């Protein structure tokens, strides 16, 4: 039987993944169909998302017993503000993305380039404190520093590997 606290943790992880997929589904198709990433193409952010998912899965599998002992804090209204802010940044991203597309090159307006790409990363990152809460994140990082680094390492290896596999198919 799965302990209630672990079920709450799994439920929050599931909720985060659903929100992550929704946000990616809103932003991703537009990014792919435009030249927003110029020569970088979509694999930069697509692989980053996959890296997060694979790292999370590796982490949960590796630390499932310790995760069963974690108590999920009560959901606060401030958590909702992070999720709301994440979704409110989506139109800002589209606006800055459209402005960036009017530039001759991505580097003709470096502040706009940095701002637009920071939004691509910030929008899903804000979902983390929105779903889990800042207090939980701090205590989680303190408790699992080594394991988080291992999970990130697995994700990076996955990212590099998939990049080289994709290079085998130039079409």
């Amino acid at each position: 039987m799965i302990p209630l606290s672990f079920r709450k943790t799994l439920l929050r992880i599931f909720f985060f993944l659903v929100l992550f997929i929704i946000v990616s589904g809103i932003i991703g198709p537009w990014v792919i169909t435009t030249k927003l990433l110029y020569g970088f193409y979509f694999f930069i952010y697509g692989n980053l998302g996959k890296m997060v998912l694979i790292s999370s899965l590796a982490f949960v599998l590796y630390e499932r017993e310790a995760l069963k002992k974690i108590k999920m804090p009560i959901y606060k209204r401030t958590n909702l503000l992070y999720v709301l802010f994440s979704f409110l940044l989506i139109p800002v991203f589209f606006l800055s993305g459209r402005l960036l597309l009017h530039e001759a090159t991505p580097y003709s307006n470096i502040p706009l380039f940095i701002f637009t790409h920071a939004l691509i990363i910030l929008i899903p990152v804000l979902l983390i404190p929105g779903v889990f809460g800042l207090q939980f994140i701090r205590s989680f990082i303190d408790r699992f520093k080594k394991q988080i680094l291992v999970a990130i390492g697995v994700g990076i290896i996955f990212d590099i590997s998939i990049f080289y596999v994709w290079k085998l198919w130039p079409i």
Side-chain angles (χ1 to χ4, degrees), residues 113-127:
F113 177 81
I114 292 170
F115 179 72
T116 304
H117 288 272
L119 283 175
I120 292 175
I121 295 170
L122 184 63
I123 290 169
V125 165
L126 283 173
L127 296 174

Side-chain angles (χ1 to χ4, degrees), residues 34 39 45 47 51 61 69 87 91 93 108 111 115 138 142 145 152 161 167-168:
T34 65
Y45 297 116
N47 280 359
M51 184 182 87
L61 290 174
K69 298 173 187 169
F87 278 90
F93 162 73
S108 8
F115 179 72
R138 281 188 208 111
D142 287 343
K145 281 181 187 171
I152 290 171
S161 300
K167 279 179 77 174
L168 295 174

Side-chain angles (χ1 to χ4, degrees), residues 3 19 53 59 65-66 94-96 100 103 108 115 139 148 155 158:
L19 289 175
L53 294 175
F59 180 81
E65 292 304 318
F94 283 119
L95 177 65
S96 67
L100 186 61
E103 297 292 329
S108 8
F115 179 72
S139 65
I148 291 170
F158 171 80

Side-chain angles (χ1 to χ4, degrees), residues 81-99:
L81 290 176
Y82 284 103
V83 174
L84 183 64
F85 191 53
S86 174
F87 278 90
L88 289 175
L89 284 176
I90 292 173
V92 175
F93 162 73
F94 283 119
L95 177 65
S96 67
R98 289 182 205 284
L99 291 172

Side-chain angles (χ1 to χ4, degrees), residues 30-48:
W30 185 78
V31 172
I32 292 171
T33 59
T34 65
K35 62 175 187 157
L36 183 68
L37 298 176
Y38 294 88
F40 296 115
Y41 303 105
F42 187 67
F43 71 84
I44 290 173
Y45 297 116
N47 280 359
L48 182 61

Side-chain angles (χ1 to χ4, degrees), residues 5-6 8-10 12-13 16 59 66-76 79 127-144 148:
S5 61
F6 189 54
K8 287 181 180 180
T9 303
L10 290 176
R12 292 258 183 116
I13 291 169
F16 168 75
F59 180 81
L67 288 173
K68 289 178 183 177
K69 298 173 187 169
I70 290 179
K71 293 187 179 174
M72 191 60 63
I74 297 171
Y75 200 77
K76 297 179 182 176
N79 293 34
L127 296 174
I128 298 169
V131 172
F132 298 102
L134 290 176
Q135 176 189 0
F136 175 78
I137 293 168
R138 281 188 208 111
S139 65
F140 190 84
I141 290 171
D142 287 343
R143 185 171 179 181
F144 294 107
I148 291 170

